Amino acid sequence: MAAYEQENAKEWQMSSVGRVVKEAEDSGDEELDEHINTGTHPSFAAKPPILAASEISIFTGPSVRLPVTVSSRPATNNVAAAVSRIAPDNGASVRNIRPLQQARGLPAWLPYERDNAATTAWKARKPHNGVFRMPEDYFELARKHYGNDVEGLKKSPFAPLVEIGVRTGTHILQPKSSRELTLLIWGTSLQIKRAQDALHNWIARARKKTLIKAIDRGMPSVHPITEKQKNRLKRDVDNAASRQKYRQKPEEGRTFPVTGMYLWSTEGARPQDVFGSGCEAFDWIRSFYGCYITFDQQLCTFKVLCDGKIHPSYEKMVESAKEAISQIGVTISEYAARSSGPLHRYLVAPLNHRNYRKEVEILCLQKPGTENPEALTNFPSLTGNRATQDEIDVLNEWHIHLSRENKLEMQRTTLSCIKRLQYYRGQLRMRVLLGVFALNNYYWMPPKAPTIPIRDFVENMRKTGTKGTLYKNLTAVHGYDDLFDRTRQAINVFEPSDVMTHSLHHVMPTYDAMFEFVDKDSGHVRLEVAMKKVHPSSNAFETIQKRWTRMDRLNAVRRSDGSMEVNHPLEIYIIRLLRGVTWKLQISADNNVDASRVTPDMADFAAAVHCTMTTPIDVSIEQGQRMFAYPASDLLRHFEQKTSWKYRLKLHNTYIFELARYDTFDTRLGNANASDVKPTNTSWAASMYDGNWDSLLGQNGRLEVGEAVKWTPDLETFFPKIFAAGASEQGGFDNFLQTVQAVVDFLNESENA
């Protein structure tokens, strides 16, 4: 029976892809690498990996088999091959991925909440150690906890219990129904005592919580829940509670009408290292589809077990098993995408004939935005004699070729990253950042030569190991008055992004506060609060965004000022060998913070943050006045305020140009008078983006485990062709490059004059 099940698990994974894998292997390693790099292999298509019925083995008993397509190719233990087997037409272009058996240290980090020891004991069906009786008005108290977020209350009505369990190291079992008020608790005696005290405190806090209509702080009033909403909520709670049992290990010796299987590699990373000791990454899939998911060590397979409690009909059970197995495959695709390293490219921008020089030198100068004269960095710069007319003709032809190569490399690299992003869960953001480029690591031959030929420099920038930085502080190039005033006067380049604003001088800024916290239970997290004025003539502000993101050690790097910065799946630098501003295309990835990781103190802090203004806008900009007030917190480690103005480009009005001022303040002065607090550091930066990018990548922030986005992973999705006067006729990516160049030329007008 074991051999029979394992063979069938192989069959559905290999069906319909054996031919593709064979063709790829026969074509040679170099050709296969090129296919993977460019995302042009036949196994990389545009649709998410939803498996067909013939690709999944479903077992209804030892003597019954559903028909599957059988392939004679043996399974391999390579992650890249595994991605193709899981989703042969899913568009997952994964570059430079290491085979599982060569993985170093921890596997790729997947964003899901790990089980503690108490939850592990509950899943193993060990007896509980404590109890707690909830009050009968729990849902009214939870209503105060969620405010007007009825959908949030319906989706996770017991989030406060989960948060207390995480904070105290216990597992608090959600009630089996809306009528059950006794909570069962797992954990040590000390942990249970802490959990019971925390539950008492939460109830006391909820009863004392006053719901105030605070319009000046942008906080809406809380409306009473209707009877219809309350009844629907109870039904949803009962349904969600009945599904919680599937997170546990099924009873020994129990039989199931329908069983599906997914084969895991027998070598390399262990599933428990990737998906958790109890495969808790699949908890959402278990609860949603009403099935058990276990891992059979002997068969090296995941088993999806359907008991018919949620879906009594045979057809529904089979469909649930298929969907669950398909989402396991998508999760593997996410792991494979995250296992591949970030894509970095360094491309030298072509020059016009007026600037032709034959040599490049490295200037060791002071870092932009720092007052320390010993803080130096390396700036590449043209040097040497001007080219002769004969040399200019040759260089013109070479630069046309270089421009075409740069565009193709940008397209290939961007497409490769976009194909992975359909599996990323978290907050993604694509931006064009403008600034000054400097080199950190670079190849120079001969090592002590003062200069090298420009063609050698271009090739050196493509070598592995090259690293650079784009300093976003534009005050190193332009003064504040020059930058801000020229932007407001550039009526031929920009127009207000808000159709209700009629002049560039009347564009109202948006204020963003970025707080970073360090907590032993929640880890390193960031709170972002964005506010804007309700009306230009009003001093009242409204909150337009508030979100928590997670700065995990495997997903972030520490900056020199002590704050954390996320790693970026994509960075394409354009190196300008002249003075002035250049740019890079960047995609950043943040992980959402689960509600169970936001402690009551952190939630109260977020609710208390508000925006106030005591001086005119122009004065506050010039002086760097702090616009946010917040309570004191021992967990707060960093506070940065961003004041940004958004303008729409006239050339292509889907693109937004954002000019922003960043001020860092002392975190200990949150309640001090704003006029008495001065920033410890100030910088100006600029960026641009297509407004559709945020809409598309916003889908990734709402994905659950095993889900893929619905947008098509190709360049046309993010860079559609623009039909407008002056737009390039070649395609959307050419329109994008044309628009970026127009902004760079605007910022470098004084340098080019």
Side-chain angles (χ1 to χ4, degrees), residues 341-370:
L343 299 175
H344 295 165
R345 297 292 183 270
Y346 298 89
L347 308 177
V348 178
L351 305 171
N352 59 53
H353 67 277
R354 294 183 305 167
N355 307 118
Y356 278 162
R357 298 287 194 277
K358 294 183 290 184
E359 304 288 324
V360 176
E361 64 178 344
I362 300 296
L363 303 177
C364 192
L365 303 175
Q366 184 176 341
K367 288 183 178 180
T370 179

Side-chain angles (χ1 to χ4, degrees), residues 123 245-250 256 258-262 271 275-296 301-307 320-329 331 705-706:
K123 284 188 173 181
K245 67 176 183 178
Y246 294 107
R247 296 175 57 195
Q248 290 183 291
K249 178 181 178 181
F256 296 88
V258 174
T259 300
M261 304 188 73
Y262 169 79
F275 307 111
S277 59
C279 292
E280 52 264 32
F282 300 136
D283 279 351
W284 180 86
I285 302 176
R286 290 163 166 155
S287 299
F288 187 82
Y289 291 107
C291 59
Y292 296 95
I293 299 178
T294 63
F295 183 73
D296 191 313
T301 58
F302 290 103
K303 288 187 175 182
V304 177
L305 312 171
C306 298
D307 61 0
S320 295
K322 291 177 181 178
E323 292 294 334
I325 294 175
S326 178
Q327 293 203 356
I328 291 175
T331 308
V705 172

Side-chain angles (χ1 to χ4, degrees), residues 68 236 381 441 477 520 523:
V68 295
D236 293 334
S381 178
N441 297 321
V477 182
K520 63 182 181 63

Side-chain angles (χ1 to χ4, degrees), residues 16-66:
S16 77
V17 298
R19 177 182 55 82
V20 171
V21 175
K22 187 177 190 306
E23 289 177 355
E25 293 184 359
D26 292 344
S27 64
D29 293 339
E30 294 182 0
E31 184 178 349
L32 178 59
D33 290 340
E34 179 64 21
H35 281 314
I36 293 176
N37 292 345
T38 59
T40 57
H41 192 274
S43 64
F44 300 144
K47 59 185 179 182
I50 304 302
L51 299 180
S54 61
E55 296 175 312
I56 299 177
S57 294
I58 301 295
F59 302 98
T60 57
S63 60
V64 180
R65 295 175 59 183
L66 297 186

